[in-house]
């Protein structure tokens, strides 16, 4: 797996873990027709290669006192990576991606309230060298929250 390509067995294991990240290796092995030792070894290799991370997702709406927003940023191309690194280091930022289109970056931001969002935008984001402009969109309701790989056909 040095070239980081996944075979069908890897994909099947990942799919099982996407359904339930706490699923026992024994159950995964039974579901995909493999051995528990093989599943354990494959998961370890995927984790060691930084292909797989098993995490918990909490619904921000259910947590209370949280406001989720998307911040779209236009940045100086020469400072793109530096802006990404600055955003990634901020505890309020839960997701960062590079875009094609009107904005260069999208950051998902979790704050306690609108005052905290205002402070985040004006005291942190505005001070990042290379940020040309931002557009912020509050997320009112999350209808689906799932990160999954496409199932190959």
């Amino acid at each position: 797996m040095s070239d980081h390509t996944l075979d069908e067995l890897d994909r099947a294991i990942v799919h099982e873990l996407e359904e339930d990240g706490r699923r026992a290796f024994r159950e995964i092995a039974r579901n995909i027709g493999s051995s528990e030792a093989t599943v354990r070894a494959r998961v370890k290799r995927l984790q060691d290669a930084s292909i797989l991370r098993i995490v918990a997702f909490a619904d921000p709406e259910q947590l209370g006192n949280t406001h989720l927003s998307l911040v779209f940023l236009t940045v100086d191309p020469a400072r793109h990576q530096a802006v990404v690194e600055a955003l990634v280091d901020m505890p309020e930022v839960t997701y960062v991606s590079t875009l094609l289109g009107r904005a260069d970056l999208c950051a998902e931001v979790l704050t306690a309230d609108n005052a905290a969002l205002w402070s985040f935008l004006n005291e942190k984001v505005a001070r990042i060298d290379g940020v040309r402009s931002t557009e912020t969109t509050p997320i009112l309701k999350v209808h689906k929250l799932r990160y999954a790989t496409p199932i190959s056909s």
Side-chain angles (χ1 to χ4, degrees):
M1 288 188 17
S2 60
D3 62 350
H4 298 286
T5 57
L6 279 71
D7 63 19
E8 289 304 313
L9 184 58
D10 293 327
R11 290 185 188 284
I13 292 168
V14 169
H15 177 71
E16 289 285 323
L17 289 169
E18 287 171 341
E19 292 294 318
D20 179 358
R22 296 184 62 190
R23 186 167 287 158
F25 291 157
R26 177 178 293 145
E27 183 181 347
I28 293 171
R30 184 174 52 247
N31 290 347
I32 65 173
S34 185
S35 73
E36 183 178 348
T38 297
V39 170
R40 181 175 283 105
R42 292 287 185 116
V43 168
K44 181 169 180 3
R45 281 194 314 191
L46 292 168
Q47 289 174 316
D48 289 349
S50 297
I51 294 171
L52 177 67
R53 281 186 49 211
I54 300 171
V55 299
F57 284 106
D59 183 345
E61 188 176 353
Q62 301 300 320
L63 294 176
N65 288 339
T66 57
H67 291 258
L68 197 57
S69 301
L70 294 178
V71 179
F72 298 95
L73 301 95
T74 304
V75 301
D76 178 352
R79 300 284 306 151
H80 183 274
Q81 187 59 36
V83 173
V84 167
E85 291 168 8
L87 290 169
V88 166
D89 286 342
M90 295 178 178
E92 299 89 347
V93 176
T94 60
Y95 172 85
V96 178
S97 59
T98 297
L99 307 174
L100 292 175
R102 239 180 31 200
D104 300 308
L105 297 170
C106 176
E108 183 182 73
V109 177
L110 190 61
T111 56
D113 52 31
N114 285 335
L117 175 62
W118 178 258
S119 175
F120 170 78
L121 292 170
N122 288 291
E123 295 173 15
K124 290 188 174 183
V125 175
R127 293 182 180 167
I128 301 172
D129 185 28
V131 173
R132 292 181 176 172
S133 66
T134 64
E135 180 180 337
T136 303
T137 303
I139 297 174
L140 301 178
K141 182 161 184 64
V142 175
H143 298 281
K144 183 176 182 178
L145 177 62
R146 180 169 190 261
Y147 291 94
T149 56
I151 299 173
S152 59
S153 47

